[in-house]
Amino acid sequence: MSGTFVGMPAFPAAAHEAVRNPTLRGNLRHATHTIRAKRAKAVAELADWAELREAGRRIKDHTLRHLDRYLVQLEEAVTAAGGTVHWAADADEANRIVAGLVKATGETEVVKVKSMATQEIGLNEALLEEGIHAYETDLAELIVQLGDDRPSHILVPAIHRNRGEIREIFTREMREWGRPAPEGLTDTPAELAEAARLHLREKFLRAKVGISGANFMVAETGTLVVVESEGNGRMCLTLPETLISVVGIEKVVPTWRDLEVFLQTLPRSSTAERMNPYTSMWTGTTDAETADGPRVFHLVLLDNGRTDTLADDVGRQALRCIRCSACLNVCPVYERAGGHAYGSVYPGPIGAILSPQLRGTASEIDASLPYASSLCGACYEVCPVAIDIPEVLVHLRERVVQGGPVTREGNKAVLKPAKGHAAERAAMRAALWALTRPGALRTGQRLVSRTRRFHPRTLPGPGRAWSDSRDLPPVPAEPFRDWWRRTNGGRDTK
Amino acid sequence: MSGRERVLGRVRRALATAPDDDTPYEQAIARGYLRRHADLGVEGTVDLLAENLADYRAIVHRCALDELPGTLGRLLELRGSRSVLVPPGLPESWLAGVATTRVDDRADDTPHALDRVDSVVTGCAVAVAETGTIVLDGSPDQGRRRITLVPDHHICVVRVPDQVVPSVPVALERLAPARPLTWISGPSATSDIELDRVEGVHGPRTLEVVLVR
């Protein structure tokens, strides 16, 4: 298993492999069901959950509608507080900026707080090419990094690994990266966490440069917020002399007060806690007198497909996402297929709508993601900012099949219909023709009813793959409309 | 073209066809949610704080102000701490009963020096009852963020009822955004291994909260 998503097979192929792995399915089932039940309990404690959710939705929508204004305001506030703001249109630009900033410090090692944005742009790999080692310090990210693996969940990236596998990875790999795992390490979570503590503490205490993302940025005050549990975030945000935060432009909120909504909905949706153990908030740099935290602070504002997503009337709601991962934990498809099958750092339902928008639908995997769902709607129910994921999925399916206007890297383009959907398009065209011609439809339905004794059990041609695993629905003896007319709308007979 | 112009230009073009919406911010956000989730009165709010702190495995003590020096001395002794970090503005009277070697926080201390200290005692800015959270804002009685992070044992003194608020919205009103803020709910914890909760990965593994009145 390598650390890259490039060249991943499309979702159906990857999922097909994943569902045959009983260990993976067991780990996933245990994890998602545990957290699902806990979350429901944590949410039930708040009688005003629906109102908080609505407020969260509106704050995000309002911010997105005026995103330019709030980004400029944020830039001014961060700069006034002693920070430096950089803007990156894509992954390459962001990686270049960060590598340049690290090099300017003369350091070749950095410690990292878990960050989806830096995963998305492949920052660690880009830094390594420049001779800079980036150490992941979140326990799960450490497991993933040491195992030369990919994250499979937004919140718990190593959700696909059980304790035995983790013990094995620590024993084998820690010595390559620094302090080796203790002799006789067992697989109890407490011992494994202790091994990580000892291993990483050496890195924290000598680190001169920290790299983070952020959960929120407050335009009004220039404050950044990182929500975490282990304290590795606090270590990276506090001890180094230089802090570089790479944050997606959609993470801005207008005012300080807005945090009252998200600090209530994010922890409960995410780890199912009333509040996560640690939240750090910092505004620029602190003065020399207090010397509380990094003396140099850089904020890299990342686009990388977000403005293309913003340009889509239906799809832009995906930018409301606060990365809580509640949608993953309720999704029947994610539970069985696992995070890797989605071929992106954003797995699950949110990944199925976010990745094809951030990256476009040109690749096979991205074109397949809008189909990685049963459209059951559980993800929408559970979303703390009310993203209508099924609506966006259907919208993206339509785009994949029919093509149409899109924005890519800031430019308007017209997408061609995807290959491989010819049968679907032909069927839809036939359906449209029949449904807009009542006479033809009636004739056709009667014909089908009368010939039903001769219908095969399976479909011929391209439909065969579908009917291999499903029974064809039986055709009624009489079309509904004939029955309706004959029985006077059902009144004359049972 | 600079990255700034490129990104802002893309944002503006992306929004060019969006429907006009000049609703002022204050009206755009429906704030139908509650400022607090129950009206428990002063005593009830402090009890809820104690309950929620304990639920997330902080160890809670209560005492009167004149008992505080004895309590702090006893807690450090029970823990077997050989040294205790003290932020510059912690009231001297609180430490009258502390026999443990005192280490003053200095800006030029290295993280390694902090790592050799056993315990730290601080005050707090505000405590949130509904979530069982204490918030530190770097005031002189709380010190720099690092001192409550590196040592393995943190004792936090909360003055009740003055420093206790019912909820997150009320807490945010009382805090200054420009200060470095740390919100702490129980000791450091991880659930990354099969979702089994384990205390103390990188932060203090033991958090004791003294509610003093």
Side-chain angles (χ1 to χ4, degrees), chain A residues 30-31 46 48 51-52 55 58-59 62 64-68 70 72 75 87-89 93 137-140 156 162-163 166 189-190 192-194 197 200-201 204-205 221 223 229-232 234-235 237-239 254-261 263-264 273-283 286 290-293 303 307 310-311 316 409-410, chain B residues 3-4 6-8 10-15 17-25 27-35 37 52 55-56 107 111-112 115 130-131 133 138 143-146 148-152 168-169 172-173 175-198 200-205:
Chain A
H30 169 70
L46 301 187
D48 57 341
E51 288 80 12
L52 284 166
R58 291 212 193 179
I59 291 168
H62 171 83
L64 290 171
R65 180 63 191 82
H66 305 284
L67 190 58
D68 49 340
Y70 287 118
V72 170
E75 181 188 38
W87 301 71
E93 193 171 3
T137 62
D138 170 79
L139 177 53
V156 221
N162 62 29
R163 57 187 74 190
I166 295 166
L192 295 170
E194 174 71 14
R197 179 186 175 96
L200 285 172
R201 188 156 281 230
F204 288 133
L205 298 185
T221 60
T223 307
S229 295
E230 294 172 9
N232 65 306
R234 292 181 64 193
M235 289 277 182
L237 301 169
T238 310
L239 296 184
T255 71
W256 175 250
R257 187 182 174 189
D258 296 322
L259 295 175
E260 71 189 18
V261 174
L263 288 181
Q264 294 191 80
E273 293 168 304
R274 290 185 197 104
M275 187 65 89
N276 50 289
Y278 295 134
T279 298
S280 298
M281 302 180 181
W282 73 100
T283 305
T286 49
T290 47
D292 191 0
D303 177 350
T307 50
L310 186 67
R316 72 165 61 106
E409 292 173 7
Chain B
R4 182 180 191 276
R6 192 149 64 232
V7 175
L8 280 174
R10 284 183 186 180
V11 171
R12 287 174 184 138
R13 281 201 303 281
L15 292 169
T17 55
D20 277 343
D21 179 13
D22 296 328
T23 318
Y25 164 80
Q27 287 156 37
I29 318 301
R31 302 214 188 247
Y33 52 86
L34 303 168
R35 302 299 300 163
H37 287 88
N52 283 338
D55 193 32
Y56 281 0
H112 282 100
D115 195 30
E130 284 181 7
T131 57
T133 305
R144 296 180 296 154
R145 289 182 284 173
R146 54 168 59 182
T148 55
L149 172 63
V150 182
D152 204 16
V168 171
L172 282 162
E173 277 172 12
L175 294 166
R179 303 195 72 96
L181 300 172
T182 306
W183 298 51
I184 300 173
S185 311
S188 157
T190 183
S191 300
D192 278 345
I193 302 164
E194 297 182 21
L195 295 179
D196 263 5
R197 193 178 163 102
V198 179
V201 195
H202 307 301
R205 278 177 282 199

Side-chain angles (χ1 to χ4, degrees), chain A residues 159-232:
Chain A
I159 199 170
H160 58 292
R161 297 288 199 185
N162 62 29
R163 57 187 74 190
E165 295 174 295
I166 295 166
R167 181 193 159 274
E168 209 269 312
I169 291 168
F170 278 10
T171 308
R172 195 183 62 221
E173 297 293 338
M174 269 185 174
R175 71 182 70 250
E176 295 292 314
W177 292 75
R179 183 180 176 132
E183 287 294 317
L185 180 67
T186 74
D187 67 357
T188 62
E191 271 196 41
L192 295 170
E194 174 71 14
R197 179 186 175 96
L198 294 170
H199 178 81
L200 285 172
R201 188 156 281 230
E202 289 190 350
K203 296 194 166 37
F204 288 133
L205 298 185
R206 67 164 187 250
K208 296 280 185 283
V209 181
I211 295 182
S212 82
N215 293 89
F216 306 101
M217 309 184 280
V218 181
E220 176 186 48
T221 60
T223 307
L224 272 79
V225 182
V226 163
V227 169
E228 49 123 8
S229 295
E230 294 172 9
N232 65 306

Side-chain angles (χ1 to χ4, degrees), chain A residues 82-97:
Chain A
T84 309
V85 178
H86 311 258
W87 301 71
D90 56 28
D92 286 345
E93 193 171 3
N95 289 334
R96 236 184 354 258
I97 291 169

Side-chain angles (χ1 to χ4, degrees), chain A residues 166-406:
Chain A
I166 295 166
R167 181 193 159 274
E168 209 269 312
I169 291 168
F170 278 10
T171 308
R172 195 183 62 221
E173 297 293 338
M174 269 185 174
R175 71 182 70 250
E176 295 292 314
W177 292 75
R179 183 180 176 132
E183 287 294 317
L185 180 67
T186 74
D187 67 357
T188 62
E191 271 196 41
L192 295 170
E194 174 71 14
R197 179 186 175 96
L198 294 170
H199 178 81
L200 285 172
R201 188 156 281 230
E202 289 190 350
K203 296 194 166 37
F204 288 133
L205 298 185
R206 67 164 187 250
K208 296 280 185 283
V209 181
I211 295 182
S212 82
N215 293 89
F216 306 101
M217 309 184 280
V218 181
E220 176 186 48
T221 60
T223 307
L224 272 79
V225 182
V226 163
V227 169
E228 49 123 8
S229 295
E230 294 172 9
N232 65 306
R234 292 181 64 193
M235 289 277 182
C236 297
L237 301 169
T238 310
L239 296 184
E241 288 165 8
T242 301
L243 172 62
I244 304 166
S245 299
V246 182
V247 190
I249 51 175
E250 82 284 13
K251 293 289 180 81
V252 65
V253 296
T255 71
W256 175 250
R257 187 182 174 189
D258 296 322
L259 295 175
E260 71 189 18
V261 174
F262 301 111
L263 288 181
Q264 294 191 80
T265 52
L266 177 57
R268 287 178 203 259
S269 297
S270 182
T271 51
E273 293 168 304
R274 290 185 197 104
M275 187 65 89
N276 50 289
Y278 295 134
T279 298
S280 298
M281 302 180 181
W282 73 100
T283 305
T285 53
T286 49
D287 50 43
E289 205 178 307
T290 47
D292 191 0
R295 272 166 280 164
V296 180
F297 171 56
H298 294 278
L299 171 61
V300 181
L301 293 172
L302 177 71
D303 177 350
N304 204 36
R306 284 160 178 75
T307 50
D308 293 343
T309 310
L310 186 67
D312 188 301
D313 293 343
V314 179
R316 72 165 61 106
Q317 57 184 304
L319 297 177
R320 282 186 216 142
C321 177
I322 55 173
R323 314 281 190 260
C324 72
S325 74
C327 62
L328 276 62
N329 301 324
V330 297
C331 178
V333 177
Y334 175 85
E335 185 188 324
R336 286 162 181 82
H340 292 149
Y342 292 81
S344 131
V345 296
Y346 304 107
I350 187 65
I353 62 169
L354 204 49
S355 303
Q357 294 202 87
L358 294 178
R359 304 191 298 208
T361 51
S363 77
E364 204 191 339
I365 178 84
D366 287 315
S368 74
L369 285 176
Y371 295 87
S373 167
S374 64
L375 299 181
C376 77
C379 47
Y380 175 39
E381 281 295 300
V382 85
C383 177
V385 285
I387 302 170
D388 192 341
I389 295 176
E391 182 191 21
V392 183
L393 284 167
V394 171
H395 169 73
L396 293 175
R397 286 182 188 188
E398 197 176 288
R399 176 187 294 173
V400 168
V401 173
Q402 297 189 342
V406 289

Side-chain angles (χ1 to χ4, degrees), chain B residues 78-135:
Chain B
L78 281 174
R79 168 89 185 177
S81 292
R82 287 157 302 169
S83 53
V84 57
L85 254 172
V86 178
L90 201 77
E92 280 299 323
S93 60
W94 290 8
L95 299 168
V98 171
T100 311
T101 307
R102 177 173 160 166
V103 181
D104 290 317
D105 179 39
R106 289 192 311 266
D108 54 358
D109 275 343
T110 62
H112 282 100
L114 292 177
D115 195 30
R116 289 191 285 271
V117 181
D118 293 326
S119 302
V120 58
V121 179
T122 71
C124 81
V126 68
V128 189
E130 284 181 7
T131 57
T133 305
I134 52 174
V135 187

